[in-house]
Amino acid sequence: MKEFNPYFIYVGNAYPHKNLKRLIEAVMNVNKKVKEDIQLYIVSSRNVFTKRLEKLIAELKAEECIKLLGFVPDEKLKILYKKSLGFVFPSISEGFGLPGLEAMNAQTLVACSEIPVFKEIYKDVPIYFNPFDVNSISDAMKLVLDMDPEAREKRIEKGLALAKTYSWSKMAKKTLKLYEAL
């Protein structure tokens, strides 16, 4: 017997612009197309938006395939990323998109919205989808499920290399230089 069902993961807030309703609907679509039940683990701090999400999951009768994990410490989060089928980031708008880089750094495949900031930051590494189209999201997730292991590994390696080009210390040094120049 398996320890758990295969799962996708989302990490971040449950704010409306994160587009989690469509993501939940997409997971439900995927489960209609595959033999094995696929789950979505949502890692998000508890707040009023998470409470709304709990109600939405109940309304959509998605309790079997959606697991709200609440806060997860970094060391456990890295394991959840690594063991997942992939990280799905359906945001309609973002300022930067740190969770996608975290996922890449944890050697996780990324599927995300085709919004300008993600295209700029993530380049050609993720599998992109239209965040306003549930079928586009579920098609991207299905693509992840059906991906050839060798192609999957190459994409993961490319993501890890991209993630390593970003650094908190480099950013801090550049910011300090900017301040000193002023």
Side-chain angles (χ1 to χ4, degrees):
M1 187 174 159
K2 277 193 310 187
E3 191 178 315
F4 50 82
N5 285 354
Y7 65 93
F8 285 93
I9 189 168
Y10 165 82
V11 178
N13 291 309
Y15 300 148
H17 74 277
K18 299 295 185 173
N19 201 24
L20 297 181
K21 180 177 191 249
R22 286 189 187 102
L23 177 56
I24 292 166
E25 291 170 342
V27 171
M28 293 172 73
N29 278 356
V30 168
N31 277 319
K32 290 175 188 171
K33 298 175 185 177
V34 297
K35 292 179 182 165
E36 192 167 21
D37 286 336
I38 304 298
Q39 294 186 332
L40 172 65
Y41 290 0
I42 298 176
V43 177
S44 184
S45 298
R46 301 275 177 204
N47 61 30
V48 67
F49 295 103
T50 309
K51 293 287 180 204
R52 289 180 190 167
L53 190 58
E54 287 171 350
K55 279 172 106 173
L56 176 66
I57 291 166
E59 287 169 15
L60 294 173
K61 296 180 180 19
E63 299 92 345
E64 289 299 311
C65 62
I66 309 299
K67 305 296 177 209
L68 290 174
L69 303 182
F71 171 79
V72 174
D74 287 344
E75 49 290 347
K76 288 185 181 177
L77 183 58
K78 190 166 185 170
I79 294 166
L80 283 173
Y81 272 132
K82 183 104 171 115
K83 291 187 175 190
S84 73
L85 296 163
F87 170 69
V88 187
F89 206 2
S91 287
I92 294 167
S93 67
E94 284 294 328
F96 184 79
L98 189 59
L101 289 174
E102 285 179 344
M104 289 177 200
N105 195 50
Q107 299 178 36
T108 304
L109 197 63
V110 173
C112 66
S113 301
E114 56 187 8
I115 58 176
V117 68
F118 288 168
K119 292 238 178 191
E120 179 183 342
I121 302 299
Y122 305 153
K123 315 286 185 227
D124 63 345
V125 172
I127 295 168
Y128 288 102
F129 55 77
N130 176 348
F132 297 101
D133 182 352
V134 171
N135 289 323
S136 180
I137 301 168
S138 57
D139 288 348
M141 295 171 81
K142 185 85 170 69
L143 194 64
V144 169
L145 286 170
D146 296 340
M147 189 174 283
D148 170 79
E150 190 176 310
R152 178 183 177 81
E153 192 54 41
K154 282 182 182 176
R155 197 177 282 254
I156 288 171
E157 286 172 14
K158 197 173 182 181
L160 181 59
L162 176 69
K164 291 199 180 302
T165 66
Y166 291 90
S167 159
W168 286 113
S169 62
K170 275 193 235 173
M171 186 217 38
K173 287 175 186 173
K174 283 183 179 180
T175 303
L176 180 61
K177 279 186 181 179
L178 208 93
Y179 286 145
E180 290 173 345
L182 296 174

